[in-house]
Amino acid sequence: RASGAFDDLVGPVQLQVLENQLGPPIGAPVQVRIAGDDPMRLASIAAEVASELHKIDGVTAVDNTLAGSKRELLVTVDEGRAALMGLTAADVGQWLRLAFSDAPIAHALIDNERVDLVVKLDTKAYTPDEIEALTIASPDDTPILLGDVASVNEGRRANHIERNDRRRGVRVSAQLDESVTAGEANRDARRKIESLIHANPDFSFEFAGEYRETSRSIRSLIIAFMIALLVIYSILAAQFRSLLQPFVVIAAIPLSLIGVIVGFFVSGAPVGLVALVGVVGLAGIV
């Protein structure tokens, strides 16, 4: 319905318009959770899964929790050279925290209120060479270049780290349009990544999100249906004072499902959870 409404919006690489739905959040219609011990392979497998989900008809957007990362500067301390100058890796780390964060170095009383005194470097973006050129004081107050005891390199880190069963994990999710149901899309997704699952036995693959919650609900509904039949049989057996006569009445329940099936074919509506709850209620009415 919002198709074309944001065509003139400049800037976003990807834009999703999601319908606000009532009820608790249950996750994306298609969601594959992958877990493994090798972060590099995990990122590669997640990218392949995302690529396969893009090929499914009806998929409107694919999201990978490992996609997107933040720039960071990695400071690696040469503990041997640092020890020669009376420093440890912890000393260098503490100096960096004081230099770039808001760690207080002292306190003062101003108008009877305790105020933290903070001294830090200018918050401009530093290059690795500029950081290595900064000076750090040794225990004897001799200024030492940070580059003499450590190396600074650019790197990137994930926006967040996720774990599944204590293993590094990632979620690859897809949104769907109205041309396909979550069940059909998940079956297509399982078929497309089957080769990846077999090729990586040391990684776990799990279909979660809306598909898993719906499957759990259907299993619970089947159990409820069996309990309902048992209760119906018990009531009829008590009324007829017979163990066989209730089966004559219960035999009408499968016949009522003929109308349910015809109704779904005529309407063209997918068989959803609410419809299945109605089937359980229909058994009681019959």
Side-chain angles (χ1 to χ4, degrees):
R1 298 179 184 86
S3 177
F6 303 101
D7 289 346
D8 58 345
L9 192 63
V10 179
V13 176
Q14 178 178 307
L15 177 67
Q16 298 182 39
V17 180
L18 303 179
E19 182 180 359
N20 186 24
Q21 298 180 343
L22 299 177
I26 57 176
V30 180
Q31 186 179 102
V32 183
R33 300 180 66 180
I34 312 163
D37 299 320
D38 188 337
M40 298 299 293
R41 284 181 59 200
L42 185 65
S44 175
I45 293 172
E48 292 185 60
V49 171
S51 176
E52 293 297 331
L53 293 185
H54 273 294
K55 301 175 184 178
I56 299 175
D57 293 337
V59 168
T60 58
V62 177
D63 179 45
N64 180 352
T65 54
L66 287 183
S69 58
K70 294 181 179 179
R71 174 179 173 268
E72 67 177 2
L73 296 176
L74 306 175
V75 180
T76 305
V77 178
D78 187 326
E79 297 189 14
R81 286 191 296 169
L84 292 176
M85 300 181 183
L87 297 172
T88 64
D91 294 332
V92 177
Q94 182 179 8
W95 180 84
L96 288 170
R97 282 193 296 273
L98 290 173
F100 289 96
S101 69
D102 293 335
I105 60 172
H107 307 283
L109 284 177
I110 300 178
D111 295 334
N112 293 324
E113 291 187 8
R114 179 174 171 173
V115 178
D116 294 333
L117 299 180
V118 177
V119 178
K120 65 177 182 177
L121 294 173
D122 189 7
T123 55
K124 72 171 187 175
Y126 281 85
T127 65
D129 291 338
E130 289 173 334
I131 293 182
E132 289 182 354
L134 298 175
T135 56
I136 179 174
S138 66
D140 58 1
D141 291 332
T142 303
I144 300 170
L145 291 179
L146 180 62
D148 291 338
V149 296
S151 60
V152 182
N153 300 289
E154 287 194 32
R156 304 196 71 86
R157 65 177 175 86
N159 291 326
H160 69 278
I161 296 176
E162 180 177 326
R163 293 193 176 274
N164 300 333
D165 294 331
R166 294 179 293 179
R167 304 173 75 192
R168 182 69 68 89
V170 59
R171 283 177 287 121
V172 183
S173 307
Q175 300 294 332
L176 305 175
D177 60 23
E178 296 179 356
S179 65
V180 64
T181 65
E184 294 170 340
N186 277 274
R187 285 191 292 272
D188 288 343
R190 186 179 295 275
R191 191 162 51 247
K192 287 182 177 298
I193 69 171
E194 195 72 31
S195 58
L196 271 176
I197 296 175
H198 291 309
N200 299 277
D202 52 332
F203 283 74
S204 65
F205 294 77
E206 178 187 9
F207 282 81
E210 179 182 325
Y211 178 74
R212 181 176 64 179
E213 295 303 321
T214 302
S215 299
R216 288 177 175 175
S217 299
I218 291 176
R219 284 196 295 268
S220 299
L221 201 60
I222 292 174
I223 295 174
F225 185 74
M226 301 305 295
I227 294 175
L229 286 180
L230 180 61
V231 173
I232 291 171
Y233 174 82
S234 301
I235 294 173
L236 293 177
Q239 288 181 336
F240 295 152
R241 297 182 180 180
S242 170
L243 297 178
L244 296 178
Q245 290 182 10
F247 286 107
V248 178
V249 178
I250 292 177
I253 293 178
L255 297 177
S256 68
L257 299 180
I258 298 175
V260 174
I261 297 172
V262 172
F264 278 118
F265 272 112
V266 171
S267 65
V271 180
L273 190 61
V274 176
L276 294 178
V277 172
V279 171
V280 176
L282 176 65
I285 295 173
V286 172

